[in-house]
Amino acid sequence: MSHARDLGADHRPAGPSRSRVAGAGDSARSRAFAQLAAGMPVLPVLPVLVVTAVLLADLADGGAGMIWLPLLAAGPALAATTNGPRGVVCVGLLAAVLGALLGVRDGVPSRELAAVLSALMAVTLASGLASVLRGRRERVLAAVRSVAETAQHALLRPVPANVGPFQVAVRYSAAAAEARIGGDLYALIPTRHGVRLIVGDVRGKGLPAVGTAALVLGVFREAAHDEADLLAVVERIERSLARNLGHDDFVTAIVAGYPEPGQLEVVNCGHTPPLLVSASGSVTPVEPDLPSPPLGLRALAGHAPGLQSLPFTDGDQLLLYTDGVTEARDHGRAFYPLAEGLERHVSHEPARTLGALHDELLAHVGGRLHDDAALLLIRKPAASEAGVAAAIDPGSTVQVPACEAGCR
């Protein structure tokens, strides 16, 4: 019976069939009109409003003629800043038609009217060309951004939300917002020698700094797996930089490792001291026992960096950062107080902590950083927390974004 009802529902008398054919024709015409409308440029609102304002001003002035007509050229000129060439031409034609009508209405001499209309068309053509060139520049910029993002993901790879026994979060902002990458670097990788990480800052900016950052990260990723001793990892990076850097170039860095439960090793090479957050929430800078030179300058300093061992147990956190964070200034030239900010926003979720810190940092500087800034936070969760996380999402590999707004 159900099948019979379906057949009956499909059955139609001849009259409705003709109606359906007619409806299909209407639908085809509607689609054709829709396609035509989609191909037509949409008049830009602001330039049309400018042309309309000139029209109303001329009418309100009792037909002043040559006083207002030249201002019609502002329409296509303004359209070139936001619209494509078709939009510019449409605004120019609209302005020319209105100019001709107003000129005839106001009794403007034909020679003067022709001169105004010729100038208007010349402005329209020049604006159309400017619009074409702007479109090309925007496409080139989009391609450059795409390449920069690809390079960023190759250089600063996304870090999982959980690495070994740690919860992890990363925030990175490049001062060159269009480039998306800069001279700050970070990496965190699990190895057979335990989890190892690096946060560093290359002297300088631009492509040379990016190249040096790529060199440091490449050597670190190899040495972290090969060398059992963390100081040997630092030595490998130092030797590579000594061969490839200029005399005035260097890299400040923190290299850390977690060789066994409850113990964190830190090597500070001229970098800003990391902040250790205890399970109770107190924040303490990890000052080096022996100040060490930045990577690439050991030959000038004459001594090697030292290795510090820190207790790092359940609930403890370590924040590594670059000087783009601590040297960020507000309008009153005051530095951002990172330790106080961390104490205010610390939580059991590193991503939430860094999100709050990053937002506060941008608010402190007024929305735009003037130097590259990197933040990397690791937390050692308690065994019970780790068990709950594994039960909710076993084998989690949630990716932490490498770059945020500034990034935006």
Side-chain angles (χ1 to χ4, degrees):
M1 291 180 64
S2 174
H3 184 61
R5 280 197 303 270
D6 289 342
L7 290 177
D10 288 339
H11 178 72
R12 294 290 185 273
S17 177
R18 287 193 300 268
S19 175
R20 188 166 64 249
V21 172
D26 292 340
S27 177
R29 284 193 296 271
S30 299
R31 287 195 299 270
F33 281 122
Q35 293 173 357
L36 180 62
M40 295 175 62
V42 178
L43 287 178
V45 176
L46 186 57
V48 171
L49 290 178
V50 170
V51 172
T52 304
V54 173
L55 169 65
L56 295 177
D58 183 83
L59 294 177
D61 203 19
M66 289 300 295
I67 296 179
W68 297 103
L69 291 185
L71 295 179
L72 290 171
L78 184 60
T81 63
T82 57
N83 288 80
R86 290 191 299 174
V88 173
V89 170
C90 287
V91 174
L93 291 176
L94 175 63
V97 170
L98 291 178
L101 294 176
L102 291 177
V104 171
R105 174 185 177 278
D106 298 340
V108 176
S110 57
R111 292 184 61 183
E112 295 181 5
L113 181 58
V116 170
L117 295 179
S118 298
L120 178 58
M121 296 311 298
V123 170
T124 300
L125 292 177
S127 300
L129 177 60
S131 177
V132 171
L133 296 178
R134 177 183 57 79
R136 289 180 179 176
R137 286 194 296 270
E138 288 179 350
R139 288 191 292 272
V140 170
L141 178 58
V144 169
R145 280 182 169 178
S146 177
V147 172
E149 289 177 353
T150 302
Q152 180 198 39
H153 285 291
L155 179 61
L156 302 177
R157 299 171 186 171
V159 177
N162 295 281
V163 177
F166 298 128
Q167 296 172 301
V168 185
V170 175
R171 289 292 184 275
Y172 179 81
S173 298
E178 303 300 339
R180 307 290 179 91
I181 52 178
D184 286 3
L185 58 97
Y186 64 83
L188 187 147
I189 53 177
T191 73
R192 59 192 176 94
H193 310 296
V195 174
R196 287 177 167 175
L197 59 99
I198 183 173
V199 170
D201 187 356
V202 179
R203 176 187 177 274
K205 297 180 181 179
L207 290 178
V210 174
T212 303
L215 173 63
V216 172
L217 288 174
V219 176
F220 170 77
R221 286 169 179 146
E222 288 295 322
H225 287 282
D226 295 341
E227 305 291 347
D229 187 357
L230 193 64
L231 286 174
V233 176
V234 176
E235 179 64 28
R236 286 265 296 266
I237 300 174
E238 176 68 35
R239 289 200 303 268
S240 180
L241 291 179
R243 289 192 298 267
N244 292 281
L245 290 188
H247 297 295
D248 298 330
D249 296 328
F250 59 87
V251 179
T252 66
I254 293 283
V255 182
Y258 191 72
E260 59 185 53
Q263 180 185 359
L264 189 69
E265 296 179 342
V266 177
V267 179
N268 190 328
C269 301
H271 199 73
T272 52
L275 298 177
L276 180 64
V277 185
S278 67
S280 62
S282 62
V283 178
T284 307
V286 182
E287 299 287 352
D289 297 331
L290 176 66
S292 302
L295 296 169
L297 297 182
R298 185 182 301 180
L300 300 179
H303 66 272
L307 180 72
Q308 287 180 271
S309 293
L310 308 172
F312 198 75
T313 58
D314 292 351
D316 290 344
Q317 304 186 53
L318 186 72
L319 176 65
L320 299 98
Y321 55 93
T322 59
D323 59 10
V325 178
T326 51
E327 294 181 0
R329 296 173 182 259
D330 62 10
H331 296 299
R333 308 298 295 166
F335 293 112
Y336 175 66
L338 178 60
E340 290 85 346
L342 179 58
E343 201 162 6
R344 281 193 301 272
H345 299 296
V346 67
S347 69
H348 294 329
E349 299 179 21
R352 180 192 298 177
T353 302
L354 285 198
L357 275 179
H358 191 263
D359 291 343
E360 188 174 88
L361 175 64
L362 292 181
H364 180 81
V365 299
R368 175 72 181 272
L369 291 170
H370 299 287
D371 193 9
D372 303 329
L375 292 159
L376 188 151
L377 179 63
I378 62 172
R379 178 177 183 269
K380 176 66 171 63
S384 58
E385 295 179 68
V388 171
I392 294 175
D393 188 9
S396 172
T397 56
V398 177
Q399 300 294 310
V400 178
C403 186
E404 295 292 330
C407 286
R408 293 157 58 215

